[in-house]
Amino acid sequence: FTFSSTAATTASSSAGEARAAALIIGDEVLAGSTVDTNSPWLCKLLHNRGIDMVRMEFVGDNAKDIQDSILRMKEAVGPNGIIFTSGGIGPTHDDVTYDAIAGAFGRGLAVHPETLKRMTAHYATKNQEVNESRLRMATLPERSDVLFCEETWVPLVVVEGVHILPGIPRLFQMMLSAQEHRFQGAHFHAVSLFTSVGEGVLAKPLGDIALRHPAVRIGSYPKGQEGEYTVKLMVEGRDKELVAAAVREIENAIDIGSKDVH
């Protein structure tokens, strides 16, 4: 069984469009007893680094469901895309993420020596030993890349572009923040426009402008309450000039009160 101490690739694309997906795992999330905060945090991190989040799924602690979702996501993000999972890597019977992802790619599981060493040292500070249950947390998919950060012994395991993370928000965010330099796409240029025109009035001109600017994302978001504006329009793309051209058309077609350039 072989492991690597560093990830083989970073998330980038010669076309400037890196694609990502995320799988949130846990019966407790589907039951509503635990609120997922990892996915919005991840979406914001990746967007700020120029990566398109193209799919998000939620599944329970079922190995077959996890495998099916991972393989669907691999198709969605493409061969150079990246996938993140949250949850299911603890010591209990319902923690099946490592096993499920290993099976999805035809791999076995093996104890990872460095993870075991770090985990043993961690529990020694608490006068506790690594028992059979805890050993499961160091039993990782074969031929995976294993990354560490200084703040925790928990590994970030990467298998075929799938980044396996704990569901605990503090660890999830800490571990990804330590590796965020690995995830980089082409920068987004964005302009926010604010208007008091209702969506029912602006829908037609906005839709026509969107058709003329396929490389630019144009979103309309009603505020839902009275205030300085009724609708926020977000105009975004990777080509600054194309974004500016779409913004000019919107300003000529719709009464805009103010705007912010991001």
Side-chain angles (χ1 to χ4, degrees), residues 37-238:
T37 59
N38 289 334
S39 58
W41 182 89
L42 175 63
C43 288
K44 185 173 183 179
L45 171 72
L46 296 180
H47 187 79
N48 289 341
R49 300 196 66 79
I51 296 176
D52 289 313
M53 176 66 81
V54 299
R55 179 162 298 183
M56 182 85 63
E57 294 188 21
F58 293 77
V59 297
D61 297 303
N62 179 281
K64 179 64 164 57
D65 290 344
I66 294 170
Q67 290 175 355
D68 290 345
S69 289
I70 288 295
L71 295 177
R72 279 196 302 271
M73 288 181 170
K74 286 294 288 184
E75 286 192 28
V77 302
N80 297 320
I82 48 177
I83 297 172
F84 300 88
T85 71
S86 166
I89 62 171
T92 59
H93 70 281
D94 56 346
D95 291 308
V96 297
T97 299
Y98 285 145
D99 184 68
I101 293 176
F105 297 107
R107 304 186 184 193
L109 295 168
V111 173
H112 182 248
E114 182 62 22
T115 299
L116 178 58
K117 175 183 175 182
R118 289 169 179 256
M119 181 170 60
T120 300
H122 167 77
Y123 281 108
T125 64
K126 300 182 176 184
N127 294 319
Q128 299 178 24
E129 296 181 352
V130 174
N131 57 24
E132 184 177 351
S133 295
R134 288 175 175 144
L135 187 62
R136 297 183 68 228
M137 297 188 289
T139 305
L140 312 180
E142 299 170 18
R143 304 188 307 281
S144 56
D145 300 302
V146 184
L147 309 173
F148 296 98
C149 64
E150 294 182 1
E151 295 86 352
T152 179
W153 66 267
V154 181
L156 197 171
V157 181
V158 186
V159 184
E160 298 282 344
V162 179
H163 295 64
I164 307 171
L165 289 133
I168 300 170
R170 178 182 63 84
L171 293 177
F172 184 93
Q173 296 176 21
M174 173 197 304
M175 292 164 64
L176 276 182
S177 294
Q179 306 296 338
E180 67 176 60
H181 61 280
R182 298 177 179 275
F183 315 122
Q184 186 64 60
H187 179 66
F188 288 105
H189 301 277
V191 177
S192 297
L193 303 171
F194 302 90
T195 179
S196 295
V197 179
E199 283 194 304
V201 176
L202 61 78
K204 179 61 168 63
L206 197 67
D208 292 341
I209 294 169
L211 287 175
R212 291 192 292 272
H213 296 273
V216 177
R217 298 175 184 170
I218 302 176
S220 175
Y221 310 103
K223 187 176 183 181
Q225 60 185 11
E226 294 184 2
E228 296 181 359
Y229 67 92
T230 303
V231 177
K232 174 183 176 180
L233 304 176
M234 178 65 75
V235 187
E236 186 175 61
R238 287 188 165 89

